[in-house]
Amino acid sequence: MSNSTVVVVTGVSSGIGRAAAEKFARRGCRVFGTVRSIAKAAPIPGVELVEMDIRDDASVQSGVHTIVGRVGRIDVLVNNAGTSLIGAVEETSVTEAAALFDTNVFSILRTTQAVLPHMRAQRGGRIVNVSSVLGFLPAPYMGLYSASKHAVEGLTETLDHEVRQFGIRVTLVEPSFTRTNLDVNASQASSKIAAYDRERALASSAAVNSVKGAPAPQGVANTIVEAALGAWRMRRMPAGQASLLSKLRRFMPAGPVDSSLRKTFGLA
């Protein structure tokens, strides 16, 4: 793809999305970054901000219409926006789970359905869905978040089969813990059950400490840019822990992987 590639990145207010938008702009792309409120968003050099609530059908359609109206095409869509939730599966209400899936899964459905008619018409494009290592690994006390990322993985692989006939490819980026405010300030299920208190506290503390010691978002942002502009691969993982976990999941027996995961979350 050329340096004039038109890129749309969702959720650029901070963290991975902001870092990715900055890197696309430095690569010479025409970059549009979505935020829920332009009035509250800090400007990003080289990035045009577009107001879009990824949880709202009309807002997504309006945002995409605005972008296409300005430049006439969309070459790359990066579905980055998302949220997290900590809590035992038994503690997590259906309402909380539905809200999580609305942000992490159904938002991808909305944005993808909004851009695909334009990509099909131009006979090309790339869609990058930001998943997680929890898209292929479980995580104690993050069951619904993990389920949402597993859903993103299945949706992405299926979508790629369907749209490659139009010159469009879809790919996954699977980061591990990343030092962002989203991960440090993850929401917690509201109806706590006392029987889970001890282990939940251990797992939550382990996750927070892992995030605080994790790399900054720039490494994930580099991987996103390569997934969008480089040779197509279904999965891309930032170097380091994410790549290691993928290899462990693929090649190690289930027992040692299970034990290692429990140890990571303080449950050994």
Side-chain angles (χ1 to χ4, degrees):
M1 291 183 180
S2 71
N3 287 337
S4 60
T5 300
V6 177
V7 180
V8 179
V9 183
T10 67
V12 301
S13 296
S14 62
I16 292 170
R18 187 177 186 88
E22 290 171 342
K23 288 183 182 296
F24 277 118
R26 286 198 291 271
R27 288 283 290 265
C29 300
R30 179 82 180 266
V31 186
F32 294 88
T34 79
V35 294
R36 277 187 285 182
S37 171
I38 290 179
K40 297 178 181 178
I44 306 173
V47 178
E48 300 173 58
L49 299 182
V50 176
E51 205 159 80
M52 180 189 293
D53 184 346
I54 58 168
R55 301 163 301 178
D56 181 82
D57 294 1
S59 179
V60 170
Q61 290 289 340
S62 175
V64 170
H65 179 77
T66 296
I67 294 165
V68 174
R70 289 185 195 175
V71 291
R73 63 187 292 115
I74 294 175
D75 298 304
V76 174
L77 167 66
V78 178
N79 284 309
N80 159 76
T83 189
S84 188
L85 181 67
I86 293 175
V89 171
E90 187 181 356
E91 296 175 315
T92 307
S93 70
V94 172
T95 299
E96 288 170 326
L100 184 70
F101 269 69
D102 196 24
T103 300
N104 288 3
V105 183
F106 302 145
S107 67
I108 292 177
L109 184 62
R110 292 185 186 98
T111 55
T112 298
Q113 289 181 342
V115 304
L116 275 178
H118 306 286
M119 287 185 173
R120 284 192 289 104
Q122 68 200 31
R123 305 297 295 186
R126 184 75 58 89
I127 298 173
V128 180
N129 292 334
V130 179
S131 179
S132 164
V133 295
L134 300 190
F136 58 83
L137 279 171
Y141 298 92
M142 296 183 72
L144 272 300
Y145 176 80
S146 184
S148 74
K149 292 303 185 179
H150 275 67
V152 169
E153 301 255 329
L155 175 67
T156 301
E157 289 197 70
T158 295
L159 180 63
D160 180 66
H161 283 293
E162 295 171 350
V163 299
R164 68 178 70 172
Q165 62 180 309
F166 309 115
I168 304 164
R169 299 307 301 260
V170 193
T171 186
L172 289 157
V173 170
E174 299 168 321
S176 183
F177 289 116
T178 307
R179 195 167 69 248
T180 67
N181 291 331
L182 173 67
D183 289 329
V184 171
N185 302 316
S187 300
Q188 301 229 357
S190 58
S191 299
K192 292 181 172 59
I193 298 171
Y196 292 107
D197 283 351
R198 184 187 69 84
E199 278 203 350
R200 187 194 329 101
L202 289 170
S204 181
S205 176
V208 169
N209 288 334
S210 294
V211 169
K212 288 180 178 178
Q218 280 68 26
V220 182
N222 285 334
T223 304
I224 289 171
V225 171
E226 288 308 308
L229 304 180
W232 177 86
R233 294 210 306 262
M234 173 48 68
R235 285 175 169 78
R236 287 181 182 262
M237 282 136 286
Q241 188 181 45
S243 180
L244 175 61
L245 287 171
S246 175
K247 291 180 175 66
L248 290 176
R249 181 65 160 177
R250 185 174 179 184
F251 297 113
M252 282 190 68
V257 172
D258 181 80
S259 297
S260 176
L261 188 144
R262 289 184 62 79
K263 184 177 181 180
T264 297
F265 283 91
L267 309 181

